[in-house]
Amino acid sequence: KMAGSSTPWIGSAYLFLQSTCKTIVLPSLYESSQKKPSVFKALKLALADSTGSVNGVDMLKVHCSHPHLIVQLKFCKQENCRRFLQSYREGTLQESLQNHLQLSLAMTTVPLEMELKAGNEHLDNMLKDEDRCLECIYREKPDRLRDEEISELEECLKSLIVHQSINNNMAVKGCASLNSPSLPCPSQGSSLSPQVTFIFQGQHFANRTLTPDDHQKFAKLVSKKWKQVGRSLQKNCRALRDPVIDNLALEYDREGLYEQAYQLLLRFIQSEGKKATIARLIAALEENGLISLAEELLGLHSNEDCS
């Protein structure tokens, strides 16, 4: 067996990442003090997705070796390593990391190529033989402790405690936004408004102000439920009281559902300004069972190629 019953299972591997989009250079993004927390956050969340646990795999160091970003991984449990290998083999790790990078960096798409190595072994050549991959990873004991920089980024990410608050709006305590220029973590947590991240279907997403693209997609896809969404938004938006929603229905009856929904969200955006965020709209959509529309707005249905 690879490990005796008395000793913990420990192995190490290197994950090589490269963007296939010429305008996106991952090492340069990671070397930027402004973008580093965003890239780290995406890595951490994608690795957590792959093992089903925030502590399923440990990042020891992130190396910048143009054009690759190389992440040194440490596994402390064989079952976590198996889950990671399965996620890597099936492409779900790649998809998850692409989505998290896209959201953290506020980009339309971040296409990736991945390679996995343990010592001199290229594990991509033997992915179908999971036990052999596990043996290679187990043979490679970690040659370092966690890098200080990684520990600092971990602490910064941990201090982003997301709280569910009234009307499904999210307030975040702790670090500054991980998708804005990086700021030192305050010693005392302070509420940031509007919140910097929110949770949808168990995943963290970067919060942002609604865009014209969001506006059009909403109007096109919400259909007859635009009134219900409006009533969910009205709980903390004075500009959408009941008479307003009813008047919109009458005023734009001839133009149809698209224009009614468009005018509703226009009132919301005009009255709330920067506080008209994607988190508030997603919460209203969830409340009314419009999950596929929420996924569309968050780019979870997008297979858009990098241009």
Side-chain angles (χ1 to χ4, degrees):
K1 287 190 176 182
M2 284 181 267
S5 56
S6 58
T7 50
W9 195 97
I10 294 178
S12 180
Y14 286 91
L15 182 63
F16 287 72
L17 305 169
Q18 179 182 357
S19 172
T20 55
C21 191
K22 288 179 183 178
T23 57
I24 301 171
V25 184
L26 291 178
S28 298
L29 289 171
Y30 193 79
E31 285 168 342
S32 155
S33 60
Q34 291 187 345
K35 300 291 186 185
K36 180 174 290 186
S38 302
V39 177
F40 178 80
K41 178 186 175 187
L43 287 168
K44 184 74 182 171
L45 292 175
L47 288 169
D49 289 345
S50 75
T51 58
S53 164
V54 176
N55 302 312
V57 54
D58 199 10
M59 278 188 276
L60 298 181
K61 186 172 176 64
V62 177
H63 305 264
C64 293
S65 177
H66 290 262
H68 291 101
L69 198 65
I70 308 168
V71 188
Q72 186 175 4
L73 304 172
K74 174 187 174 184
F75 299 92
C76 293
K77 287 185 178 177
Q78 187 177 325
E79 63 258 36
N80 286 341
C81 193
R82 278 193 189 277
R83 284 196 201 103
F84 170 84
L85 284 169
Q86 183 180 352
S87 177
Y88 181 86
R89 184 175 65 241
E90 293 173 355
T92 49
L93 172 62
Q94 182 175 353
E95 189 179 338
S96 173
L97 183 52
Q98 286 176 168
N99 286 338
H100 285 303
L101 283 169
Q102 180 181 334
L103 289 161
S104 290
L105 296 167
M107 293 181 171
T108 52
T109 179
V110 185
L112 293 176
E113 276 184 356
M114 288 185 166
E115 199 177 344
L116 190 62
K117 294 181 182 178
N120 296 323
E121 299 286 352
H122 290 250
L123 301 186
D124 297 76
N125 300 331
M126 57 177 90
L127 286 173
K128 289 181 181 177
D129 190 343
E130 194 173 277
D131 286 335
R132 192 176 161 205
C133 288
L134 283 167
E135 282 173 22
C136 293
I137 292 170
Y138 177 69
R139 265 202 312 268
E140 294 299 316
K141 298 301 179 217
D143 59 359
R144 62 161 67 240
L145 296 172
R146 184 194 286 182
D147 198 68
E148 275 184 22
E149 181 181 66
I150 298 288
S151 297
E152 287 169 13
L153 288 164
E154 286 266 10
E155 285 308 308
C156 200
L157 192 58
K158 277 180 191 172
S159 67
L160 268 179
I161 304 164
V162 185
H163 295 284
Q164 184 90 33
S165 69
I166 301 167
N167 298 325
N168 289 336
N169 277 339
M170 311 306 294
V172 176
K173 290 186 177 181
C175 254
S177 167
L178 289 186
N179 66 315
S180 68
S182 65
L183 298 167
C185 291
S187 53
Q188 293 180 335
S190 58
S191 287
L192 302 176
S193 182
Q195 67 277 19
V196 292
T197 63
F198 65 100
I199 295 175
F200 174 71
Q201 294 187 330
Q203 288 188 53
H204 288 261
F205 291 92
N207 197 10
R208 56 179 173 76
T209 306
L210 291 169
T211 66
D213 189 47
D214 297 327
H215 196 166
Q216 288 179 354
K217 279 184 183 174
F218 170 81
K220 184 180 175 183
L221 300 170
V222 71
S223 193
K224 293 178 182 177
K225 284 200 171 181
W226 69 270
K227 275 189 177 183
Q228 284 103 302
V229 175
R231 291 195 178 100
S232 294
L233 289 171
Q234 78 179 192
K235 292 172 189 173
N236 47 21
C237 176
R238 287 183 180 179
L240 293 180
R241 295 293 183 230
D242 272 331
V244 176
I245 294 174
D246 292 336
N247 287 342
L248 286 174
L250 290 170
E251 193 177 341
Y252 295 96
D253 182 46
R254 287 186 179 180
E255 284 86 346
L257 293 172
Y258 175 92
E259 193 60 33
Q260 289 169 330
Y262 188 90
Q263 292 297 329
L264 172 87
L265 204 58
L266 182 62
R267 297 288 192 284
F268 177 66
I269 292 166
Q270 286 175 340
S271 68
E272 298 295 298
K274 288 183 179 179
K275 291 181 181 177
T277 61
I278 190 74
R280 291 173 71 181
L281 182 55
I282 295 299
L285 293 174
E286 266 195 292
E287 198 171 299
N288 293 286
L290 295 164
I291 302 303
S292 64
L293 175 49
E295 289 174 344
E296 185 70 38
L297 291 174
L298 293 172
L300 299 179
H301 291 168
S302 173
N303 294 315
E304 184 182 4
D305 291 325
C306 184
S307 52

